[in-house]
Amino acid sequence: MHKLDPRRYRQTARTAIGDPVLQGALANLQHRLKTATAEAYQALAEGPGLRQIAHDIRRRAIGNLDTLLSELAERITQNGGRVFFAADADEAVTHCLDIARRHGVKLAVKGKSMVTEEIGLNPALAAAGIEPVETDLGEYIVQLAGERPSHIIAPAVHKTRRQIGELFARKLGIAFTDDPPTLTLAARRALREKFLAADMGISGVNLACAETGHMAVLSNEGNIRMSTTLPRVHVAFMGMERIAHRLVDHDILIRLLCRGASAQKMAGYVSYIGGPARPGQSDGPQEFHLIIVDNGRSRILADQTFREILYCIRCAACLNVCPVYGKIGGYPYGFAYSGPVGAVVTPLMTGINRAADLCQGETLCGACRQACPVDIDIPRMLLALRAKLAAGDRDWDVVPAHPAEARLFDFWAWIMGRRRRYDAALSAARLLQRLLPRENGLLRRLPPPLSGWTESRDMPPVAPQSFLQRKRKRGK
Amino acid sequence: MSSSSTLPANPLTRPLAARPGAVTLFAQCLVDTFYPEVAEAVVTIFARLGMAVDCPPEQTCCGQPAFNAGYRRQARAAARHFIEVFENAGDIVCPSGSCVHMVRHGYAELFADDPGWLARSRRVAERTFELTEYLVDVLGVTDLGARCEATLTYHDSCHLLRGLGIERQPRALIGAVRGAHLVEMEDADRCCGFGGTFAVHYPEISTAMTAEKVDHIVASGAEAVVGCDVSCLMNIEGVIRRRRLNIRAIHIARLLAAGCREDLWHA
C-alpha cells in the first residue's frame, strides 16, 4: 500500500519521474485527452463560452449552499430516504458503519467515489469486518493491487495492461493474458457475483439537484447502476458542495462534466436517484441514505479567497493538461485529490503548512484554468496559498514556512527599491560569479539557494554591463 | 489553439499618423541583467519605425518573483517603485509576457485592499504592452524588415499565451522575417518548467518538464527556438547547453532586429 502523505511530495515525485512505465502512461493519457477535451468544448452548441455560464451557476449554488442542501434533504426525506450531515470524516464513516451494523452487512459493492477515498471509508469498513468491493474497473484494479487511485477519473492510469494481466492471474486465478477485452470480462465475471451477493451498495454523487431532490450519478460501465439498485441498502456519500439548484443547471453542468472528464458528449449511464424503491417498484434498495460530508468544506466556504474551489465538479480536466501532473502522477499529492485541484483542496482540508509543497510545486502556467469546465481560477488560489505560507495566517493556522527565504526577499525588495542598490547588487554578483565554474561562457554550478537550477541546467552569467548601464555610459 | 481567431480586432490599433514619436521601455530585470542585447534589439526595432525609446534610468523589477513566491509585502515594495518610475510615461513596452501580465493582472491582486495604489497601478497597466502585442495590435506592423535564413520554432510562454491571449502576434512577426521558416513543435503551448522559484525548489520536476520541451524542439527540426520571455529561454537554453545540443534560444526582439543570420549565430 502506498503511504499517501503530501509531506513526501518531492520524494514521491522523484520516484514517479524515474519510472518509465508511468511516464509513458501519463504522456499517453494527457496526449489523448488534452486536445480531445478542448475540441469537445469547441463542439458545444453554445460554444466554449458555456464554461463561464457554468461558472456562474456554480457560484450561485455555492452562495446559497445552505438553502439548497436543506431543500434537497427535505425532498429526499419526503421520498422515504434518510439524510445525514457529517461534520467530518469520522462522523461520516461512523454513520455508515452504524447503518451497516443495523443491517448485518458483510459485503458492500462500491461505485467510484472520491469522497469515500477522502474520508478513508474502505479501511474502516474492512476493520469492521465488512468487505468493500470497488466495482469501477479502474478502482477494482487498484484495490486488487492494494494501491490507491492516482487519478480522479482514471484511477489505474499508472498501470499497464501487462501489469493488470499479472495482477488478475494472481488474484482472480485466471491464465495470464494482457488482452483488454479478456481482462475486462474476467473482472466482470468476478464482480457479477459480488453485485448479487452484496448487502449494501455505496456510491458517490456527481451532482445533486435541490429542485427535484435527486442526485445524479454517472458511469461508463453500468456498475453504479448495479451498486445502487441491487443491494438492500444504498448509502450515497456526497461532498456538501456537489449540488445545483435546478434541473436545467444539470443540463449544462453534466454536459461539461463529461466533456471535461473524458471528452465525451455524455457518460454511458446517467442515473437520477431520489430515495429507496417505492411500494410496488421492483428495482431499487429498501433503504436509501445520503451522507452529506462537510469535512472542512464550511471553512473553505467561509473564506472568499478560496470559496471558488468549491465550484469544482471533480472532472479531472485539470489533471489531464497539467504539465506537473504529467510528470509526477497522482501519488505525490498525498491525498484523494491530485493535480491542480488537489494542490488547492488538499492544503485547505489537511493543513496548509503540511501540504506546503503542493502549494509551491507548480509553475502557475494556467493550463488548468483553461481546461476547467467551470472556469475555476486555480493559479489565483495557489498564489493566495503561497502568500499565506510566506507571511503566516492566523485564520488558517499557518506559520511562516520559509523564514530564511522571507529575509532574502526582504533584502531583494530593498535592492529593487533603488536603481543605485540594484547596480551595486549587479557589481557584487559579477565579482562573486568569477568564483564559479564556467563552460562555453555559461555558469556550470550555482551556490545555494540557487544550486537547484544548475543540477541539470547551465546559467548565463550577469552581463559585463547591464542594458541601463550601457545606456548611461553612452549618454555621457 | 483557436482562441486567436475568435479575438476581436484590437480597438487600440492606431493609424500611422497617430503613432507616438516615442515609447518608454521597461527592459525587464532579467533582460537588463543577463541579456542586454535583447533590450538593444528593442531599441533597434523602434528606430526602424522612426520611434525613439525612452528608458527611465531608475527602473528595476516589476515585483513578479516575490509575488509568485507568495511574498506580497516585498512584491508591493517593488511594484510601488515600478509605478512611481513609469506613471508619467506614455506607452510602456516590455519584451516579456510575464512582466506585462504581472502589471496588468498581478497588481490588481496585490493592491486589492489599497484603493490609492490600485488606481495608480491601473493607470500604468492600461498603458503597458508586451512587445509583439504593441507592434502588431497597436502599431499594426508585422514586417520590420528583418532577415534571417533559418528554420525556427516558437515557444508560447504561459503568461503571454493564457494570461494575455497573445498567440498570433509573435507568429505573424516571425512569419514576416525574410528567409525564416517557422515550423510548429508539438505542444508549443505547454509550460517549459521554469516557474520562477519552482525551478530552484523542485529541480527534478522542473527539468523533467524542460526535457520534454527540448525534445519537442529537437523533433521539430528547428535550428533555434524563438520566444517572447527570456525567463523561459534561459531555462530552455540551460538544458540545451547542458546537453550540448546545437540549437539556439533566441528572444523575438533579436530576431526582429536581425539583418542576417550571422547577427544571431555569431553574436
Side-chain angles (χ1 to χ4, degrees):
Chain A
M1 175 76 81
H2 284 263
K3 197 173 157 4
L4 286 187
D5 189 333
R7 285 169 296 192
R8 291 157 49 93
Y9 181 80
R10 272 193 74 173
Q11 202 178 330
T12 321
R14 219 175 286 146
T15 312
I17 290 166
D19 177 350
V21 173
L22 178 66
Q23 291 301 308
L26 291 169
N28 185 34
L29 169 92
Q30 293 201 327
H31 188 74
R32 213 154 30 88
L33 284 175
K34 183 190 158 187
T35 325
T37 302
E39 281 166 5
Y41 291 150
Q42 287 295 334
L44 283 161
E46 299 91 336
L50 193 63
R51 295 163 60 247
Q52 273 71 45
I53 293 170
H55 181 92
D56 288 339
I57 291 173
R58 289 300 288 149
R59 183 172 45 77
R60 280 198 300 274
I62 297 304
N64 297 300
L65 202 50
D66 49 350
T67 45
L68 296 188
L69 287 173
S70 74
E71 205 178 323
L72 172 74
E74 201 175 304
R75 288 192 207 284
I76 287 184
T77 314
Q78 275 167 8
N79 287 330
R82 293 182 213 169
V83 180
F84 179 75
F85 285 90
D88 56 25
D90 271 354
E91 275 192 27
V93 169
T94 308
H95 189 70
C96 181
L97 292 177
D98 287 346
I99 299 168
R101 248 178 244 122
R102 242 186 357 257
H103 289 271
V105 171
K106 289 270 165 267
L107 175 65
V109 282
K110 285 187 69 203
K112 189 173 160 24
S113 152
M114 293 313 289
V115 71
T116 61
E117 280 293 325
E118 169 193 325
I119 61 176
L121 182 66
N122 284 4
L125 286 170
I130 300 160
E131 183 193 357
V133 177
E134 295 289 350
T135 65
D136 172 273
L137 181 56
E139 291 279 352
Y140 182 60
I141 293 165
V142 165
Q143 189 184 31
L144 281 183
E147 294 173 3
R148 303 287 293 268
S150 71
H151 185 281
I152 295 173
I153 298 292
V157 62
H158 56 287
K159 301 196 91 66
T160 61
R161 60 186 184 174
R162 183 169 183 84
Q163 290 170 334
I164 295 165
E166 284 160 2
L167 178 72
F168 277 21
R170 208 164 60 243
K171 296 278 183 173
L172 302 182
I174 62 165
F176 171 81
T177 170
D178 62 357
D179 174 48
T182 312
L183 290 170
T184 309
L185 212 63
R188 187 186 164 98
R189 243 179 248 124
L191 285 171
R192 195 53 55 117
E193 284 169 31
K194 302 287 185 185
F195 280 126
L196 293 169
D199 321 285
M200 178 185 263
I202 295 171
S203 77
V205 170
N206 286 102
L207 194 66
C209 179
E211 174 184 70
T212 69
H214 284 87
M215 31 161 282
V217 279
L218 278 61
S219 88
N220 280 315
E221 299 166 20
N223 63 308
I224 295 187
R225 204 163 273 187
M226 305 267 273
S227 304
T228 57
T229 50
L230 281 174
R232 284 179 287 132
V233 188
H234 173 202
V235 180
F237 286 85
M238 164 183 158
M240 75 176 207
E241 80 283 11
R242 303 291 283 281
I243 188 166
H245 184 189
R246 301 163 306 169
L247 201 58
V248 291
D249 299 338
H250 272 232
D251 168 49
I252 293 174
L253 293 172
I254 289 186
R255 278 193 292 144
L256 282 166
L257 171 64
C258 297
R259 281 169 164 82
S262 48
Q264 280 178 293
K265 281 185 185 160
M266 189 53 62
Y269 299 85
V270 180
S271 303
Y272 277 81
I273 298 170
R278 298 186 185 210
Q281 258 182 353
S282 53
D283 288 332
Q286 291 156 24
E287 260 187 41
F288 170 75
H289 297 264
L290 175 63
I291 301 180
I292 299 174
V293 182
D294 185 326
N295 204 27
R297 289 165 173 81
S298 288
R299 195 182 187 189
I300 300 174
L301 180 66
D303 190 326
Q304 285 294 347
T305 305
F306 298 116
R307 178 179 275 202
E308 191 181 348
I309 202 63
L310 296 179
Y311 303 178
C312 174
I313 51 176
R314 302 285 189 270
C315 72
C318 56
L319 279 64
N320 300 337
V321 296
C322 174
V324 172
Y325 180 89
K327 293 295 162 214
I328 69 175
Y331 290 139
Y333 297 88
F335 195 50
Y337 310 108
S338 53
V341 61
V344 176
V345 160
T346 303
L348 295 174
M349 290 179 68
T350 69
I352 296 175
N353 281 110
R354 187 171 174 272
D357 281 324
L358 271 60
C359 314
Q360 296 158 171
E362 295 80 19
T363 63
L364 308 170
C365 81
C368 48
R369 185 182 183 181
Q370 197 181 35
C372 178
V374 294
D375 193 33
I376 297 175
D377 192 350
I378 287 181
R380 176 187 65 77
M381 287 183 275
L382 289 172
L383 282 166
L385 285 166
R386 291 178 187 188
K388 299 211 182 298
L389 282 169
D393 186 273
R394 209 167 289 165
D395 290 344
W396 283 95
D397 312 308
V398 185
V399 294
H402 313 286
E405 190 179 78
R407 278 195 296 277
L408 278 177
F409 271 106
D410 280 334
F411 183 55
W412 172 92
W414 180 78
I415 289 171
M416 293 305 164
R418 285 275 177 285
R419 184 68 207 197
R420 219 167 359 94
R421 296 176 201 150
Y422 185 101
D423 286 331
L426 291 187
S427 303
R430 278 184 205 109
L431 280 176
L432 286 173
Q433 71 186 7
R434 282 195 204 164
L435 305 170
L436 302 173
R438 289 194 195 203
E439 199 173 303
N440 298 323
L442 294 191
L443 303 175
R444 260 320 249 199
R445 215 165 48 240
L446 292 174
L450 300 172
S451 48
W453 180 274
T454 42
E455 272 179 27
S456 49
R457 274 171 291 226
D458 291 346
M459 175 76 193
V462 172
Q465 274 191 336
S466 79
F467 171 69
L468 279 140
Q469 286 167 332
R470 284 191 198 181
K471 283 280 294 182
R472 224 175 304 152
K473 276 233 170 103
R474 248 177 274 152
K476 268 178 194 166
Chain B
M1 308 292 305
S2 52
S3 61
S4 63
S5 55
T6 55
L7 284 176
N10 195 315
L12 293 168
T13 306
R14 290 169 204 170
L16 214 55
R19 270 187 206 167
V23 291
T24 300
L25 174 65
F26 171 48
Q28 184 206 33
C29 57
L30 289 178
V31 163
D32 185 38
T33 302
F34 296 104
Y35 303 96
E37 65 278 8
V38 170
E40 301 279 8
V42 175
V43 175
T44 306
I45 291 166
F46 282 106
R48 271 192 211 148
L49 293 169
M51 293 166 71
V53 175
D54 176 36
C55 302
E58 265 293 310
Q59 63 179 283
T60 57
C61 169
C62 66
Q64 186 185 199
F67 180 69
N68 283 359
Y71 296 94
R72 299 205 169 178
R73 184 171 49 77
Q74 295 87 334
R76 269 191 285 273
R80 280 194 294 263
H81 178 74
F82 178 91
I83 293 165
E84 282 167 348
V85 169
F86 285 97
E87 68 187 334
N88 294 317
D91 291 349
I92 302 152
V93 175
C94 175
S96 160
S98 72
C99 300
V100 173
H101 183 262
M102 177 68 192
V103 173
R104 257 188 225 167
H105 302 286
Y107 283 8
E109 186 87 16
L110 209 46
F111 295 116
D113 300 323
D114 188 339
W117 279 102
L118 185 64
R120 287 172 76 177
S121 78
R122 279 224 180 95
R123 283 194 295 275
V124 176
E126 281 164 10
R127 298 192 315 273
T128 303
F129 300 91
E130 187 275 331
L131 174 67
T132 67
E133 169 190 47
Y134 192 75
L135 293 171
V136 176
D137 292 350
V138 181
L139 300 184
V141 184
T142 49
D143 185 357
L144 291 148
R147 173 176 287 281
C148 176
E149 290 77 13
T151 302
L152 308 169
T153 194
Y154 175 72
H155 162 68
D156 289 280
S157 44
C158 296
H159 289 99
L160 183 80
L161 174 69
R162 282 175 286 272
L164 301 175
I166 298 174
E167 176 184 26
R168 79 195 139 77
Q169 296 88 332
R171 288 180 169 84
L173 289 162
I174 298 169
V177 175
R178 282 160 196 75
H181 175 52
L182 178 66
V183 289
E184 290 288 342
M185 70 172 113
E186 195 184 332
D187 289 337
D189 63 344
R190 195 160 162 99
C191 179
C192 72
F194 173 66
T197 50
F198 169 81
V200 176
H201 286 313
Y202 304 95
E204 316 85 355
I205 306 175
S206 170
T207 26
M209 293 162 68
T210 317
E212 179 188 303
K213 175 61 69 179
V214 170
D215 289 344
H216 287 155
I217 294 168
V218 171
S220 77
E223 306 163 76
V225 55
V226 179
C228 295
D229 280 85
V230 294
S231 47
C232 310
L233 294 171
M234 180 169 87
N235 177 46
I236 293 170
E237 187 177 34
V239 169
I240 286 178
R241 296 286 289 270
R242 184 63 64 97
R243 284 208 209 159
R244 299 170 194 279
L245 296 170
N246 188 21
I247 292 172
R248 297 265 165 150
I250 297 170
H251 190 278
I252 193 162
R254 295 194 58 217
L255 175 69
L256 300 179
C260 61
R261 182 185 163 101
E262 282 64 38
D263 285 352
L264 299 173
W265 258 258
H266 297 292

